[in-house]
Amino acid sequence: MNDATLAQVAARLRDAQAVFALTGSGISAESGLPTFRGVGGLWHNHRVEELASPEGFARDPALVWNWYNERAAVHRRAQPNAAHHALAQLEARVPHFTLATQNVDSLHRRAGSQHVLELHGSLREARCDRCAARRALADEGLPLDAIAHECGGRMRPDIVWFGESLPLDVWRAAELAAAHADLILVIGTSAIVYPAAALATQYNPRAFVAEINPEDTAISERVDATLRSPAAQALPALIERAFG
Ligand code: BJW
């Protein structure tokens, strides 16, 4: 990690009245969770786009639930890492702090972040695709014999799939926070999935945008600073440098 860049972003953080943080699956990599596209985006030879889509669910609901049940179990066993904890600390330190995540793993909440905008939903609940009835997911996820709901619909994960709209209230809150931020932190996302990626660079031409990611991303050329480092190293270092 470049020390001059760390100092530059830390100075912005110290002075910021409003910070907007956007996270993706890379922030949970050091908790042992796989990123989406890191290992080719495959699960048992199925493409992620095929599983995380209404068409995929209509084709084979049991296959899709097997994937989510397996992931839910892995999420439960995982622990929040130093990056999740650092963002929870920032929420308490910065006058106006908003955290929006694309992740469905609940690790920000478990790290103590109080207000998390979950842009793509969460894996805590299932909901009926016909009557919208909800049920909490148990440790083993949703039993496959509970997919059929009594109203004739199907229970599905409470997740935003490709081609679906984000929850409007969550999206509006994220747009507003991005538009009013002095500093935008973009952490652990390839920034290729829209509309979430637009929050990083398209809602606020005044904000200083800093990316935290060990790799180049779709927005790297458009950000003001890049910390090329795993989030669990960069975020604690950033807070230490900004607030001592
Ligand atoms: C580390 C690290 C470490 C590794 N530290 N970093 C405009 C243009 C083109 C297409 C579209 C567009 N607008 C909409 C679309 C269509 C589509 C889309 O964006 N497609 C793109 C793929 C091109 N978007 C949608 O369909 C969205 N809906 C929508 O727009 O509704 C309106 C509409 C309706 C009808 C038709 C059209 C539009 C919905 C998107 C929902 C995405 N859902 C998923 C799956 C569900 C959740 C789940 O199952 O968990 O969400 S897809 C998947 O990608 C998941 C993620 O949240 C999301 C983002 O991925 P993420 O987190 O960035 O992961 P990776 O793997 O890509 O990147 C990881 C990064 O971490 C890498 O950069 C690593 O380097 C880094 N990293 N270790 C820090 N230690």
Side-chain angles (χ1 to χ4, degrees), residues 25 30 36-37 68 71 102 120 163-164 189-190 194 213 231:
S25 56
E30 282 144 302
F36 274 88
R37 294 165 185 86
Y68 279 104
R71 285 176 58 198
Q102 298 167 82
H120 293 163
E164 295 185 324
T189 177
S190 58
Y194 280 78
N213 197 312

Side-chain angles (χ1 to χ4, degrees), residues 191-221:
I192 62 170
V193 173
Y194 280 78
L199 293 167
T201 55
Q202 293 177 24
Y203 280 85
N204 186 341
R206 295 171 299 98
F208 186 90
V209 182
E211 179 175 63
I212 297 178
N213 197 312
E215 307 284 337
D216 238 13
T217 75
I219 58 161
S220 293
E221 286 183 3

Side-chain angles (χ1 to χ4, degrees), residues 16 24-25 40 49-50 75-76 85 94 142 152 157 177 182-183 196 210-211:
S25 56
E49 286 76 4
E50 186 189 330
H75 294 174
R76 279 197 177 84
H85 288 297
V94 175
L142 186 84
D182 313 310
L183 172 65
E211 179 175 63

